[in-house]
Amino acid sequence: MKNLSQVSASAPAISIHSKIEKIDWPYVTKELNEKGFALVPKFLSVSESKSCIQLYDQNSLYRKTVVMERFRFGLGEYKYFAYPLPGFIQILRENIYPYLAPIANSWMNVLSIEKKFPDQFLELKKICHDNEQTKPTSLILKYGTGGFNSLHQDLYGEIFFPIQAAIFLNRPNRDYYGGEFVITQSIPRTQPKAIVLNPEQGDMIFFATNFRPIQGTKGYYRAQMKHGVSEIHSGERHTLGIIFHDATT
């Protein structure tokens, strides 16, 4: 995958399709239902991960740059891709979404939420645009020494899909130290639980955007989920974020 930003109907595009099809989706479903996250190891190769990092300085690809400390989001920087998205990101959104939609709908069902997500990604995109959420949300994040990302949720508007993905592009404990991926889970009447992960280069993680269902003695209830990044002690860390709903701004 020599130029990820220009993937179309070519061998690299076929490679992305194949990677998605080879994911153990029953395992992902089980992990998301039981934990609220699921790790897919080595989704991208080393060279593919490095190609993604190289996209960071191609400013023509992006619609917006956010310097995190200006908004007290943390310390670092991220860039939102512009439409039309690079081909491989469009492929990821369109072809991963149909596997996640049944999980999302099962969550809505057990929580008695009157919401049903469409089977295909382009239908979700239309719903977003009909509700004035027209800005793409896929992004690349960059942290240097001292960088971190405060706990947050990527909602962007009234319409949001309850599962998102991140792909880790650098080597932990080699390219950077620290910078663990942190998920918190808040269950009613208990203190929040912290989950700390240190994915390898090329790994992808699916995780709950806002909440997930947990079964209790009297049925299912919502566990509120947030995510962030711990402080980078040294080095540089990049992450590709794949969010399925669009934003208002």
Side-chain angles (χ1 to χ4, degrees), residues 12-165:
I14 294 171
S15 173
I16 288 289
H17 284 288
S18 176
K19 288 174 182 289
I20 294 169
E21 290 175 356
K22 289 178 180 178
I23 291 173
D24 187 345
W25 288 108
Y27 169 80
V28 168
T29 300
K30 177 177 178 291
E31 290 288 285
L32 280 168
N33 286 334
E34 293 182 358
K35 300 179 180 179
F37 68 91
L39 185 67
V40 177
K42 297 183 178 174
F43 178 74
L44 293 185
S45 68
V46 171
S47 63
E48 290 165 349
S49 298
K50 289 180 178 179
S51 293
C52 283
I53 293 172
Q54 291 171 2
L55 299 181
Y56 196 82
D57 294 324
Q58 298 182 30
N59 290 328
S60 62
L61 296 176
Y62 303 100
R63 67 174 179 87
K64 184 178 182 180
T65 298
V66 176
V67 179
M68 295 167 66
E69 55 265 40
R70 291 180 184 172
F71 304 94
R72 299 183 179 179
F73 293 162
L75 181 63
E77 183 179 86
Y78 55 88
K79 298 180 180 182
Y80 289 108
F81 287 97
Y83 278 135
L85 295 174
F88 84 105
I89 294 180
Q90 186 67 21
I91 290 170
L92 288 172
R93 289 181 101 196
E94 288 188 10
N95 290 273
I96 288 175
Y97 174 86
Y99 291 100
L100 299 179
I103 304 171
N105 284 326
S106 72
W107 288 6
M108 299 301 106
N109 182 54
V110 299
L111 290 171
S112 300
I113 298 174
E114 293 185 3
K115 181 182 292 185
K116 188 176 188 304
F117 294 97
D119 296 333
Q120 300 300 319
F121 169 74
L122 293 180
E123 297 174 42
L124 175 68
K125 182 179 176 182
K126 182 179 186 303
I127 292 171
C128 288
H129 288 206
D130 288 346
N131 284 270
E132 300 183 351
Q133 293 179 216
T134 60
K135 306 294 185 181
T137 49
S138 297
L139 71 164
I140 290 185
L141 305 98
K142 177 181 177 181
Y143 308 91
T145 300
F148 68 96
N149 196 343
S150 300
L151 293 170
H152 64 284
Q153 298 172 324
D154 297 311
L155 301 180
Y156 299 112
E158 291 297 320
I159 307 299
F160 66 88
F161 189 68
I163 303 168
Q164 62 192 82

